[in-house]
Structures are given as structure tokens and as C-alpha cells.
Amino acid sequence: MAQLHETKLRRIKFKNRRGVWTTWGAPGTWSACLIKSDGDLVADLESCPSVKSVSDVTADVDSETLPALNRQTSLLVLSPHQPWATFAEGGGYNDLHDALEHEFPGEVLRTGAVDDNGIVYVWLSRNGQRILDFRTDGMGWPVPPEDADYVDDELGTGDIFIFETDLYPADWPHTLPRVEAAHQQLIIDLDAYIPHLTFNGQFAAEYGHADACQRQHMDRVLQVEFEA
């Protein structure tokens, strides 16, 4: 069920959108990976041992001749409206990006939800170190104490999640009423907009965010080939 912010997000002027397209609204498991650099993004990518090559395919996008991707390549869309560049995938989790969390000399943001067991996560890495780890165990919150694996005596709740970071107080998730609200706020605070951009021969975006595929909202498109 879409929450209020999700419903409102796609109605906000495109360049001002911040947040994530959904938490639970996908028909199945979904994920997204974004990167941000304070320097030369291409050079920073090329410095990663897991990256074989980076090429600009913006002209191919314009001429609609973008070649099919093989399993070792990803498309990276640079936006004129937000500081993050977004990988456009087939929609599922891409383990090619795992190495970037440890290698990329900048920031890597990964988020998504695992439909089978109701897990949502937000991971933020900076210069190879994870500085934010937010994960639920599928129970979410609020959770009745009798249904939880443990009860926090101080908070009087049994809400189960992992929240490891120095960016927020330890009990920050409990200041929000639901998992969806915490998920949205983390992405908003990171100044990111995640429309779940995908590419399967053509660009697509979910849940009313199709305008994210319009060319005026893409600064450049890079093809990133990873080592086999």
C-alpha cells in the first residue's frame, strides 16, 4: 500500500523531488544503486579495480541505438537535478555493484526491499566504508512486544531493526511511526531521488515516475563495464 509521501512525490516538480518511489509498492523484490563523487565521476569509477571501462553512450541514447547490455555492464544516468548518479538495471539486485561499496572514492547509496520476507534496507558507504546501515527484519514497527524477539526496556517496544550510523541518534527510527516513513526520510535527508530507473532495451521507471526517463532529465548516460 502506497503511503502518503509516495503518492505526493510524483506530483512534485521533477527537479525538486527527493525521496524513494516506494517501499512496498513493487510487485516483487527491488533495489537501486546510486553513486556520488566530489571530483571526476568517470575517473573515480575507472579507479575501481572491479570496473573494466567507462564509456559515454549519451549519443546512442539520443539516436535510440543503444546496444543491448551484457551481464557485465550497467548504465549510469547522471542527472542535472540531483547530486547522485543512478544505475539503471533490469530491476533486481545487481551484485556487480557490491564491490563499488568498498572501492569507489566517493559515496555509494543502495536501497531496496525484499518482498518475500518484508525487509527494507538503506546502505550508505563513503570512501569504501559503510557509514549507515538501516535494515528491518521483516517485522517492521510498531511491533507488539509479545511478537518480538526482544523487548527494549528503555523504549518499551519490540521493534526489530538494525540501525548503525553516527549520522543520527541511535533511537532515530523510533521517532517515526512506520518503516515506510523512516525509509523515505533517510533518502530525503541524503538529497536523493530514486524513481527506480530500469533499462531493458529502453528506460523505464515505476509507479507514475515515467517522466524520469525523459531525455531532459538525463545529463549524460555512461556505460560501465565490470570485470568478469
Side-chain angles (χ1 to χ4, degrees), residues 81-214:
H81 305 302
Q82 66 164 326
W84 296 90
T86 303
F87 281 102
E89 301 297 344
Y93 187 88
N94 191 334
D95 57 10
L96 291 173
H97 302 155
D98 291 350
L100 292 180
E101 291 192 66
H102 308 288
E103 300 172 353
F104 186 70
E107 296 188 5
V108 179
L109 170 60
R110 305 187 79 178
T111 188
V114 183
D115 184 63
D116 292 344
N117 48 16
I119 291 174
V120 62
Y121 61 92
V122 178
W123 299 330
L124 177 66
S125 298
R126 181 180 295 153
N127 298 325
Q129 300 293 321
R130 186 172 288 181
I131 60 172
L132 188 151
D133 184 353
F134 170 76
R135 283 174 283 163
T136 69
D137 72 345
M139 297 183 73
W141 68 81
V143 177
E146 63 270 18
D147 294 337
D149 295 333
Y150 71 89
V151 175
D152 188 306
D153 291 334
E154 181 179 350
L155 296 172
T157 64
D159 307 341
I160 311 298
F161 60 89
I162 292 172
F163 191 61
E164 297 178 353
T165 183
D166 292 331
L167 303 177
Y168 296 84
D171 64 346
W172 179 84
H174 286 285
T175 67
L176 293 118
R178 296 184 59 83
V179 171
E180 298 93 331
H183 186 200
Q184 284 286 356
Q185 194 59 53
L186 285 170
I187 302 304
I188 292 169
D189 289 352
L190 289 169
D191 197 21
Y193 167 51
I194 301 175
H196 195 219
L197 193 63
T198 60
F199 184 83
N200 285 299
Q202 62 182 10
F203 288 104
E206 302 285 352
Y207 197 61
H209 294 264
D211 53 358
C213 303
Q214 295 174 2

Side-chain angles (χ1 to χ4, degrees), residues 5-162:
H5 183 78
E6 295 177 16
T7 303
K8 293 173 62 177
L9 179 59
R10 61 183 184 269
R11 300 173 185 168
I12 297 172
K13 191 172 182 179
F14 190 90
K15 68 178 183 179
N16 297 327
R17 289 181 196 166
R18 295 297 183 268
V20 60
W21 72 285
T22 193
T23 299
W24 309 122
T29 296
W30 71 273
S31 68
C33 180
L34 297 82
I35 61 174
K36 182 170 66 171
S37 170
D38 291 331
D40 185 324
L41 182 71
V42 173
D44 286 345
L45 274 171
E46 290 175 333
S47 74
C48 298
S50 64
V51 174
K52 184 176 181 180
S53 65
V54 181
S55 55
D56 192 319
V57 294
T58 309
D60 297 304
V61 172
D62 290 340
S63 62
E64 299 183 348
T65 59
L66 192 64
L69 302 180
N70 61 47
R71 63 180 304 272
Q72 294 302 126
T73 60
S74 295
L75 290 183
L76 183 66
V77 178
L78 283 67
S79 168
H81 305 302
Q82 66 164 326
W84 296 90
T86 303
F87 281 102
E89 301 297 344
Y93 187 88
N94 191 334
D95 57 10
L96 291 173
H97 302 155
D98 291 350
L100 292 180
E101 291 192 66
H102 308 288
E103 300 172 353
F104 186 70
E107 296 188 5
V108 179
L109 170 60
R110 305 187 79 178
T111 188
V114 183
D115 184 63
D116 292 344
N117 48 16
I119 291 174
V120 62
Y121 61 92
V122 178
W123 299 330
L124 177 66
S125 298
R126 181 180 295 153
N127 298 325
Q129 300 293 321
R130 186 172 288 181
I131 60 172
L132 188 151
D133 184 353
F134 170 76
R135 283 174 283 163
T136 69
D137 72 345
M139 297 183 73
W141 68 81
V143 177
E146 63 270 18
D147 294 337
D149 295 333
Y150 71 89
V151 175
D152 188 306
D153 291 334
E154 181 179 350
L155 296 172
T157 64
D159 307 341
I160 311 298
F161 60 89
I162 292 172

